[in-house]
Amino acid sequence: MTHDHDLVLRPTAAQTEAALNPPPGRTGGDLVVETLQGLGATTVFGLPGQHALGVFDALRRSSLDYIGLRVENNAGFAADAYGRVTGEAAPLLLSTGPGALTSLAALQEAAAASAPVLAISSQVPTAALGGGRHGYLHELADQQASFRGVVKSVHSVRTQSQIPSAIAAAWQSALTVPHGPVWVEIPQDALLAETILPVVTAPDATPDEIVPRPELTAVAAALLSGAKRPAIIAGGGVVRADAAGKLRALAGRLDAPVVTTFGGKGAFPWEHPLSLQSWLEDRHITDFLEDADVLLVVGSGLGELSSNYHTFKPRGRIIQIEADLGKLESNHPALGIHADARLALSALLETVEERTDPAAAARVREVLALVRERIAAQGLALEQDVLTAVRRALPDDAASFWDMTILAYWAWSAFDARRPNTMHSAQGAGGLGYGFSAALGAAAADRTRPVLAVSGDGGALYSIAELATARQYDLNVTWLIVDDGGYGILREYMTDAFGQATATELARPDFVALAESFGVPGVRTTPGTLEADLAKALATPGPSVVLLPAVLRMFAPTHLA
């Protein structure tokens, strides 16, 4: 009896001939790049290093585009952004020891934000593995140990024949929801040695789907259909699942107000009558959500930033849809549904009953008016004007990447992302240096649209060397640097807590002159000219820097009362 899959697996005569007589001069590095090409990768990021040279030599025999950054952590941020905007696993090529370890902070951000990054690192030669101290350059007793608590999965290679399978398994892991960074390490000798293995063609690495259990979605649909005051919190899982349309349909069927988390920006239209926008750090919004008798949380773990610093105390029933099993009911008891957001919302749309609440939109208007009144009473016109200027200058379809800086903290709550998957920040892990390096990765993914990066002067110095990368590859990134002479948010935190700040003031360069020394045009702007200067820079192809000297302040927190 013949089965279809038997026919698919049977090689043709030409395939057999090619397998028996592979092209000469190939190495283990070629197996790496061939596997990446077979999986569908088109662009890779990284830095060469002595142990990884076999991979980099193989790159020149491949069709892969290589974007080489100047610091491994910045390369990790670029790969993170590429993965976020494309939904593909972004290969990140690293060398052993210091090179690998320098990427850890970026991989932590990718893990926190569920960004698919495929990190491939070299290792010391096979003979030196096993924990002994052989004295090889870059040697670590157990390199994997540094990554196991950060990445989603670890994949070890010891022989050339293991390379395609290990990389395919890692690719599948990175792209199975929840997405995340994965780690593959290959010894130097396996990468350098000539191989007699056939050319890798199309390895199977189809991601697994996480389908909701139907008995749970039936209960959730019944609870939502019978609710008197339903509300929805939409997190980054909605954006990653491309489920914004289904979220909007469900909210409309239930007449349920929706607030998006900072990671879920763009998941729900900002000006929709049911939109509570993203004011999760406001007590008025917290109170509104606590009053819901049924609260649907989709694609969020209700962590620190999404719960007004854990002051959110819901009184109603929670339904939580979450692809990351570790986040399910980790902060609040709920009807937990382990599933991809898109699949779960589809199931709810099939069974939930339509309900009408003419007062829902009015309640949303009332609470947003209270938020505006609170902010207006704090004398923060400069900050709001700057954010408005950025929004007006930025095309609706352009992506923006925000570093850990005061203007970004404003943007989390007050910036209209306009479209899903266009606003990204490092609020997952909270490390400095994300904005510009990540923007380079997004620009490499789509060279037809401008990309905006936003940093403070402190964060900018983490990635200043990447101006050379931007120029070398002519990446279309405009970098807005808000220069307040130090770590502005830490200055505020310390002054509020201790009466004065310590170690927050910074000497810094002339950022415009420094940019121009890299061949990148720069302009010094003011709050009054920011919109025009930023719009001009975004409309001009290639990299540019816009420097805004300004001391911005944060709005008062509401979680400390």
Side-chain angles (χ1 to χ4, degrees):
M1 181 176 181
T2 301
H3 299 281
D4 288 345
H5 67 267
D6 293 329
L7 297 176
V8 171
L9 294 175
R10 186 176 296 129
T12 66
Q15 289 172 326
T16 300
E17 176 65 22
L20 292 172
N21 297 284
R26 293 164 57 249
T27 66
D30 288 276
L31 296 175
V32 173
V33 299
E34 289 166 5
T35 304
L36 293 175
Q37 289 174 284
L39 290 166
T42 58
T43 304
V44 299
F45 301 88
L47 275 81
Q50 179 177 326
H51 289 173
L53 293 181
V55 177
F56 284 84
D57 176 64
L59 278 177
R60 65 184 172 86
R61 293 187 288 276
S62 78
S63 62
L64 295 171
D65 288 330
Y66 169 66
I67 305 293
L69 287 93
R70 301 315 195 257
V71 181
E72 286 85 355
N73 200 53
N74 296 336
F77 285 144
D80 166 303
Y82 187 97
R84 293 194 200 195
V85 301
T86 64
E88 302 170 7
L92 171 64
L93 305 181
L94 302 166
S95 193
T96 319
L101 295 176
T102 303
S103 73
L104 271 169
L107 294 176
Q108 183 190 4
E109 174 58 39
S114 297
V117 175
L118 174 58
I120 301 175
S121 169
S122 59
Q123 247 291 22
V124 294
T126 308
L129 298 175
R133 295 181 62 82
H134 302 275
Y136 280 92
L137 185 71
H138 307 325
E139 181 180 331
L140 292 167
D142 185 359
Q143 181 171 273
Q144 294 178 27
S146 297
F147 295 87
R148 286 194 191 101
V150 175
V151 300
K152 186 178 178 183
S153 59
V154 170
H155 307 261
S156 297
V157 169
R158 291 297 177 263
T159 65
Q160 289 186 342
S161 62
Q162 297 173 357
I163 289 174
S165 295
I167 293 176
W171 181 280
Q172 182 181 40
S173 175
L175 290 176
T176 294
V177 293
H179 295 169
V182 295
W183 182 258
V184 180
E185 59 179 34
I186 309 171
Q188 179 190 27
D189 52 328
L191 293 171
L192 290 175
E194 188 169 354
T195 185
I196 60 172
L197 294 172
V199 173
V200 184
T201 52
D204 182 16
T206 305
D208 297 327
E209 286 190 335
I210 302 181
V211 180
R213 288 166 48 195
E215 71 273 19
L216 294 179
T217 55
V219 173
L223 289 171
L224 290 166
S225 300
K228 292 185 173 67
R229 298 177 310 282
I232 300 173
I233 298 177
V238 176
V239 174
R240 290 187 291 275
D242 192 22
K246 294 188 181 299
L247 172 68
R248 184 172 181 174
L250 183 64
R253 190 170 297 181
L254 295 171
D255 255 351
V258 178
V259 63
T260 66
T261 70
F262 306 148
K265 300 283 281 189
F268 197 72
W270 191 257
E271 298 296 343
H272 192 284
L274 294 172
S275 176
L276 291 164
Q277 300 176 356
S278 299
W279 285 99
L280 285 169
E281 288 192 46
D282 188 281
R283 191 67 224 176
H284 298 301
I285 298 293
T286 307
D287 292 343
F288 185 97
L289 296 173
E290 288 179 346
D291 188 52
D293 61 338
V294 179
L295 180 65
L296 175 63
V297 182
V298 189
S300 171
L302 291 180
E304 182 178 41
L305 297 179
S306 301
S307 61
N308 206 353
Y309 298 89
H310 294 301
T311 61
F312 172 53
K313 306 295 181 186
R315 296 188 292 273
R317 188 75 182 269
I318 297 178
I319 302 164
Q320 186 185 13
I321 297 168
E322 177 55 57
D324 188 336
L325 195 59
K327 294 181 180 178
L328 200 64
E329 295 191 73
S330 61
N331 288 306
H332 297 277
L335 174 66
I337 302 176
H338 182 219
D340 175 77
R342 183 179 183 85
L343 299 177
L345 289 173
S346 295
L348 289 177
L349 281 168
E350 291 176 0
T351 52
V352 76
E353 297 177 10
E354 188 167 359
R355 63 179 297 280
T356 303
D357 182 0
R363 292 201 306 273
V364 168
R365 289 194 299 271
E366 289 170 7
V367 73
L368 288 179
L370 292 172
V371 173
R372 287 193 294 270
E373 289 172 11
R374 186 178 77 85
I375 299 299
Q378 297 178 36
L380 298 168
L382 171 62
E383 290 74 8
Q384 294 179 84
D385 289 347
V386 168
L387 199 61
T388 297
V390 174
R391 178 61 277 174
R392 288 176 176 169
L394 185 67
D396 287 358
D397 62 350
S400 60
F401 291 83
W402 304 69
D403 216 326
M404 300 297 287
T405 186
I406 285 179
L407 189 60
Y409 296 175
W410 270 92
W412 291 350
S413 293
F415 192 78
D416 176 6
R418 300 274 171 87
R419 298 184 184 181
N421 204 22
T422 56
M423 179 181 172
H424 302 276
S425 72
Q427 52 97 5
L432 278 171
Y434 177 80
F436 185 55
S437 299
L440 297 178
D446 182 355
R447 292 178 177 268
T448 67
R449 295 184 178 91
V451 180
L452 174 67
V454 180
S455 300
D457 56 293
L461 290 174
Y462 275 66
S463 49
I464 201 72
E466 305 309 339
L467 283 168
T469 302
R471 183 72 284 163
Q472 180 173 346
Y473 298 98
D474 199 30
L475 295 171
N476 197 10
V477 176
T478 293
W479 193 6
L480 172 61
I481 301 174
V482 182
D483 185 356
D484 65 1
Y487 299 122
I489 191 64
L490 299 180
R491 181 192 290 142
E492 282 205 13
Y493 288 163
M494 293 193 77
T495 302
D496 291 344
F498 310 116
Q500 63 182 37
T502 304
T504 60
E505 306 313 298
L506 300 173
R508 66 273 192 204
D510 180 334
F511 285 103
V512 172
L514 185 57
E516 291 174 344
S517 74
F518 282 95
V520 174
V523 62
R524 185 182 301 271
T525 191
T526 67
T529 58
L530 174 60
E531 180 182 342
D533 288 337
L534 198 56
K536 180 179 179 181
L538 287 162
T540 304
S544 59
V545 167
V546 176
L547 178 69
L548 174 65
V551 177
L552 306 180
R553 296 184 297 132
M554 275 302 297
F555 50 82
T558 64
H559 65 279
L560 300 177

